[in-house]
Amino acid sequence: MNNVSLHMLSLYSFQPPPKSTNTTDHRHMMSPISLLLTLLLLLLHHFPPCPAAPGHWSLLHQTIGISAMHMQLLPNDRVVIFDRTDFGPSNISLPDKKCRSDPNDMALKLDCTAHSVEYDVSSNTIRPLMVLTDVWCSSGALTPDGSLVQTGGFNDGDHVVRVYKSCDECDWREIDSGLIERRWYATSHILPDGRQIIIGGRRQYNFEFYPKRSPAEKAQSLHFLVETYDQQIENNLYPFVFLHTDGNLFIFANNRAILYDYSKNVVVKTYPEVPGGGLRAHINAKNGKFDGALDSCGRIKISDPDPKWVMETMPMGRVMGDMLLLPNSNVLIINGGSSGTAGWEYGRNPVLKPVIYKPDDPIGSRFEVQNPSTIPRMYHSAVVLVRDGRVLVGGSNPHERYNFTNVLYPTELSLEAFSPSYLDVSASVFRPKILSVATRIQYGKRVDIRFKVQSQVDTNLIYLTMVSPSFNTHSFSMNQRLLVLDGGNMTTKIAGDTNYEVGVTAPPSCNVAPEGYYLLFVVHRDIPSEGVWVHVE
């Protein structure tokens, strides 16, 4: 993959709205909402942090049998993980003596190994799944009913749509020719009507929808992808796509961005280019020169009439990093290397220390370096947030095939968990526990949540967040979204000394929160509860 800008620019984030300490202000949900470039819908309040140790790591599995290139959390606390199918056998067998023929590997007559697994978070167990066509460098998103719709890939998989609805015996269902155009390195995003828009891909300057409204539906051109295509670098692969609260799409590729009305095929707004360079790092890496990764971080408020980039400096340079929203509205920056770029053997010097970015803190004090992992996570690694607040980290395979010896960074089959500081034992007395909440939430309606906290609660430091489960691959979490629910300071004590109730207002529309499953968290002193699955409709 030649998309160096994806991995550099994944470290840019957008400016949150002005701080507010008035928790009775009911205008928050209806005011313009800023977006993080990983994307994210943020309505941020300013809350003083609760100091704790800077995160810790645990090894969940030495091997899950495959290298985690793609990951998606499902609303039953299972995670679908998959790799490519055209690089020979994996290290986990398919059940019941199942096998598949691989038309892309003539040396392998039958492949009886799995290239997809389902990980059960609660039991810490792995179940192999059978995917038939090549899912390499593909995209995906959850439907409103919680099914994973996964699109495109390589070779025989580039026009395929695959659906996975989780159950104990369920497996992938594949739809040949489900896509109009070849989709390899494309981006999927959920729209307000529940459909997905699939944008771009290698040498694809267009978009299409799934499901189709009619058999005659065609792909539509998107000239912005022509404008952002660099012949030798291809910096417009996996474009960053996010649904803005006005119903338009924010699309970022290479070093430029637009606000796009997909229904009319019209550019609504053009944003300034991101300052800085580094976009020729891939060409240099191909020639054996591994440039240092940029340490710049930019943020922009996309709803401003005249938006401008504000640049900051990270504690270290990072390329191929992942950005993930945490339940307390902080941003985790994790994985990657400090020199080179994405692609086969083009990255160097792993960055083992994650960084927490606190968007609401003063400039100069927003980054907090975390405890390091011992496992390099380079090209083709992935991360997802799970319900208990941990972050699953897997993958790393910067080779054309599995390669465990005689390389700088061997193929990595392990699965780790990173626990941010809010999970430290010292924070347990402040951590809320949700006692009751409606599992189905209607737009604009009041939502009452009961919870308890072991220590004395400061009701001014209670807020609720909703996080959508994202599809992570190649340094980008598609459909990542976080909302802070408004409702004012309505936290009251109920029966007992530790039980409380808070009332909030559900998101106002499907532009703000497309219908589907979200993780709801109660946050106290920046320490989130364990999440609860809710369905917004």
Side-chain angles (χ1 to χ4, degrees):
M1 176 181 174
N2 297 336
N3 191 10
V4 58
S5 69
L6 168 65
H7 302 286
M8 291 180 172
L9 299 177
S10 66
L11 301 183
Y12 294 110
S13 58
F14 289 99
Q15 183 176 1
K19 298 176 183 177
S20 171
T21 55
N22 179 10
T23 56
T24 62
D25 186 354
H26 292 262
R27 296 172 296 171
H28 271 294
M29 283 301 297
M30 301 304 293
S31 63
I33 301 179
S34 303
L35 301 176
L36 280 171
L37 188 54
T38 48
L39 190 64
L40 318 168
L41 200 45
L42 284 176
L43 296 175
L44 295 177
H45 299 260
H46 178 66
F47 298 110
C50 182
H56 66 273
W57 292 83
S58 57
L59 182 65
L60 301 175
H61 284 275
Q62 188 67 48
T63 176
I64 60 172
I66 66 171
S67 188
M69 185 187 296
H70 310 76
M71 299 176 72
Q72 170 74 63
L73 175 67
L74 304 175
N76 60 354
D77 293 328
R78 298 178 184 180
V79 179
V80 174
I81 305 172
F82 53 94
D83 205 338
R84 53 188 291 195
T85 61
D86 63 341
F87 57 0
S90 73
N91 283 26
I92 183 171
S93 298
L94 287 165
D96 305 321
K97 298 182 180 180
K98 292 179 181 178
C99 298
R100 56 179 281 275
S101 60
D102 190 345
N104 309 306
D105 191 341
M106 302 308 295
L108 185 67
K109 295 185 182 300
L110 283 179
D111 184 0
C112 302
T113 62
H115 299 280
S116 175
V117 299
E118 184 180 61
Y119 172 69
D120 189 316
V121 176
S122 59
S123 65
N124 193 32
T125 55
I126 297 290
R127 185 172 72 90
L129 303 175
M130 187 172 188
V131 62
L132 298 174
T133 53
D134 196 353
V135 290
W136 181 26
C137 301
S138 52
S139 60
L142 291 187
T143 62
D145 75 349
S147 299
L148 171 59
V149 170
Q150 191 277 320
T151 50
F154 189 55
N155 287 325
D156 62 336
D158 59 10
H159 283 75
V160 178
V161 172
R162 306 165 193 87
V163 181
Y164 182 74
K165 178 69 172 177
S166 181
C167 71
D168 290 344
E169 304 296 330
C170 292
D171 214 328
W172 287 100
R173 178 171 62 90
E174 306 204 16
I175 305 167
D176 293 334
S177 302
L179 299 173
I180 299 168
E181 300 291 348
R182 179 177 186 249
R183 300 295 172 190
W184 189 32
Y185 299 103
T187 296
S188 296
H189 201 286
I190 302 167
L191 297 175
D193 63 4
R195 292 181 302 159
Q196 295 182 24
I197 187 169
I198 303 105
I199 298 181
R202 194 166 197 185
R203 301 185 183 94
Q204 294 293 336
Y205 314 107
N206 51 66
F207 63 89
E208 62 182 281
F209 301 97
Y210 187 85
K212 305 289 185 279
R213 285 180 169 166
S214 77
E217 188 171 292
K218 304 295 184 183
Q220 300 182 49
S221 64
L222 180 56
H223 191 68
F224 174 71
L225 295 177
V226 177
E227 296 171 345
T228 52
Y229 175 77
D230 291 330
Q231 185 68 37
Q232 293 180 289
I233 310 175
E234 293 189 278
N235 282 308
N236 65 353
L237 304 181
Y238 276 132
F240 292 179
V241 181
F242 306 106
L243 175 65
H244 192 18
T245 54
D246 61 4
N248 294 313
L249 296 175
F250 177 85
I251 306 176
F252 186 102
N254 203 322
N255 59 355
R256 282 171 277 174
I258 58 172
L259 190 64
Y260 187 68
D261 184 336
Y262 61 88
S263 63
K264 298 179 180 178
N265 205 352
V266 172
V267 175
V268 177
K269 180 185 291 187
T270 300
Y271 296 91
E273 293 186 9
V274 178
L279 297 182
R280 295 191 62 83
H282 184 80
I283 295 175
N284 290 341
K286 289 175 68 175
N287 294 322
K289 179 185 177 183
F290 302 99
D291 298 332
L294 299 181
D295 61 0
S296 59
C297 173
R299 50 194 277 175
I300 189 170
K301 187 174 181 181
I302 68 172
S303 56
D304 276 355
D306 185 24
K308 303 290 185 185
W309 286 97
V310 177
M311 305 305 293
E312 301 178 55
T313 301
M314 299 185 295
M316 70 279 286
R318 191 185 304 255
V319 66
M320 298 179 291
D322 290 280
M323 291 181 72
L324 200 65
L325 271 180
L326 299 177
N328 61 1
S329 303
N330 290 335
V331 184
L332 175 67
I333 306 172
I334 195 168
N335 296 339
S338 62
S339 59
T341 183
W344 302 133
E345 316 293 348
Y346 293 157
R348 293 292 185 274
N349 304 316
V351 180
L352 300 175
K353 293 182 178 180
V355 170
I356 297 290
Y357 179 73
K358 301 180 177 180
D360 226 22
D361 283 7
I363 290 180
S365 61
R366 290 174 175 158
F367 295 98
E368 182 182 86
V369 178
Q370 306 293 291
N371 285 325
S373 172
T374 59
I375 301 174
R377 302 288 183 183
M378 304 293 281
Y379 189 44
H380 289 152
S381 55
V383 298
V384 292
L385 174 73
V386 294
R387 188 166 60 88
D388 60 18
R390 294 178 300 159
V391 174
L392 301 188
V393 186
S396 186
N397 185 24
H399 326 290
E400 291 193 43
R401 289 176 175 263
Y402 281 177
N403 197 334
F404 304 102
T405 58
N406 301 319
V407 289
L408 280 174
Y409 308 111
T411 298
E412 189 57 61
L413 305 182
S414 65
L415 186 67
E416 294 178 283
F418 175 72
S419 297
S421 57
Y422 55 63
L423 292 175
D424 190 79
V425 64
S426 63
S428 60
V429 295
F430 302 108
R431 184 173 300 118
K433 180 179 180 180
I434 296 176
L435 300 176
S436 66
V437 62
T439 57
R440 306 190 81 84
I441 294 177
Q442 294 184 322
Y443 292 116
K445 301 296 185 181
R446 177 184 169 92
V447 181
D448 293 314
I449 298 96
R450 290 195 174 190
F451 65 95
K452 67 178 181 180
V453 181
Q454 293 181 26
S455 64
Q456 183 68 32
V457 168
D458 186 337
T459 58
N460 293 313
L461 301 181
I462 290 287
Y463 60 106
L464 273 73
T465 62
M466 280 183 9
V467 183
S468 61
S470 55
F471 179 92
N472 180 271
T473 188
H474 289 77
S475 298
F476 179 40
S477 289
M478 302 177 195
N479 298 290
Q480 187 168 213
R481 202 172 192 87
L482 182 147
L483 299 92
V484 175
L485 299 182
D486 184 47
N489 187 1
M490 301 176 65
T491 304
T492 56
K493 183 176 288 190
I494 54 176
D497 295 331
T498 61
N499 291 5
Y500 295 82
E501 183 174 87
V502 60
V504 293
T505 303
S509 73
C510 53
N511 285 346
V512 175
E515 181 183 354
Y517 285 92
Y518 293 76
L519 282 170
L520 183 143
F521 298 88
V522 175
V523 185
H524 175 228
R525 295 170 58 93
D526 275 352
I527 299 167
S529 66
E530 187 172 274
V532 172
W533 286 106
V534 296
H535 191 274
V536 178
E537 54 197 36

